[in-house]
Amino acid sequence: MKLVRTLFLCLVLVVKLSYSQEEGEEVEAEAPEEHAEGPGGEADTPSVVVDERKPCAGWMGGVPGTPGHNGASGRDGRDGRDGTKGDTGEPGAPGEKGDTGEPGLTGPEGPRGFPGTPGLKGDQGESALLYRSAFSVGLIDRTPMPNVPIKFNKIFYNGQRHYDDSTGKFRCSIPGVYYFTYHLTVYLKDVKVSLYKSDKTIMFTFDQFQENNIDQASGSIILHLDTGEEVWLQVYGEEAYAGIYADNINDSTFSGFLLYPDMKTVNGDR
């Protein structure tokens, strides 16, 4: 770049030098006309005009001048044409897992599948005999005492011996739901009988005696019993209501049996 600048300056000096030489020749051609004869008739000696501007000696140029200031930036050029499409870049790193979306709508029901293979044979269950409890008894004495458990001493069935004929009470050995019922022959007096569960009256039955007639009084109930609870019948009130009767052709009975045991008993958690 400096060499180009130096050549440019030398070219300028050469042009100036040629111009100076042309002016010097013009001055020398006009000199005889300007110098006329003097007063003595003698021609004055021609004077030589010296041009003080001397060209640079030899090929050496002058000292380069100070570079000028940068010019103002030009206006932005027009956008170039779009380049060709580059190659596909490398796949980026996987992003973070997004939030779970809303559940979609339930799809249509699919076709029914084929039956599965039979499962393994289960363990042998416990016998139902383990959960039996039942009794059915009848009255022998004609007139029981009031306000005490009626002792039904005529045994029809008492296989598990859960009914105690010495006390007239049924005692629960298997917790669960039980059914109790009684059918009483009424004769000579009115009958008012109550069913008790653990010293608490649960239900009453009343029947009014009709003279010269034998009547029937009955009742039934379903109760839940826990182990150790007792159920019995007794005449309620005065002796005037003790018209329960039995003989060889008329019976007064009291029965009960287990409907189903509690689940905790079935599962062995007694």
Side-chain angles (χ1 to χ4, degrees), residues 59 184 263:
W59 59 272
L184 307 176
M263 290 302 298

Side-chain angles (χ1 to χ4, degrees), residues 96-246:
E96 296 181 358
K97 184 178 180 180
D99 298 333
T100 303
E102 295 293 333
L105 300 176
T106 303
E109 182 178 358
R112 184 174 182 178
F114 295 101
T117 56
L120 299 177
K121 184 177 180 180
D123 298 333
Q124 184 176 0
E126 296 181 356
S127 173
L129 296 175
L130 297 177
Y131 305 108
R132 286 184 176 181
S133 179
F135 73 97
S136 182
V137 292
L139 187 65
I140 295 178
D141 297 332
R142 293 186 177 182
T143 305
M145 297 296 294
N147 299 317
V148 294
I150 301 174
K151 296 180 182 180
F152 293 86
N153 295 323
K154 187 176 182 180
I155 307 300
F156 298 110
Y157 178 81
N158 191 24
Q160 295 77 36
R161 297 186 179 277
H162 294 163
Y163 172 79
D164 187 353
D165 59 349
S166 65
T167 62
K169 296 181 180 180
F170 169 81
R171 184 178 181 85
C172 176
S173 297
I174 303 173
V177 177
Y178 287 80
Y179 175 80
F180 296 96
T181 183
Y182 52 88
H183 299 274
L184 307 176
T185 299
V186 179
Y187 185 61
L188 299 179
K189 296 179 182 180
D190 296 338
V191 168
K192 188 173 185 180
V193 67
S194 59
L195 184 141
Y196 280 78
K197 171 187 173 184
S198 299
D199 294 325
K200 182 178 180 181
T201 303
I202 302 300
M203 64 179 296
F204 293 95
T205 298
F206 175 77
D207 186 82
Q208 188 174 16
F209 170 69
Q210 301 294 329
E211 188 174 357
N212 299 321
N213 190 21
I214 295 178
D215 203 357
Q216 292 286 329
S218 63
S220 59
I221 191 171
I222 295 176
L223 297 175
H224 178 272
L225 299 180
D226 291 322
T227 302
E229 289 187 311
E230 296 177 323
V231 175
W232 68 89
L233 289 175
Q234 72 182 40
V235 174
Y236 189 84
E238 301 175 358
E239 189 176 352
Y241 296 110
I244 301 174
Y245 179 81

Side-chain angles (χ1 to χ4, degrees), residues 9 66 217:
L9 293 176
T66 303

Side-chain angles (χ1 to χ4, degrees), residues 7-27:
L7 293 176
F8 177 77
L9 293 176
C10 290
L11 180 61
V12 172
L13 293 176
V14 170
V15 173
K16 288 184 177 182
L17 180 60
S18 299
Y19 180 77
S20 299
Q21 290 178 354
E22 290 178 356
E23 288 184 344
E25 290 176 356
E26 290 178 357
V27 171

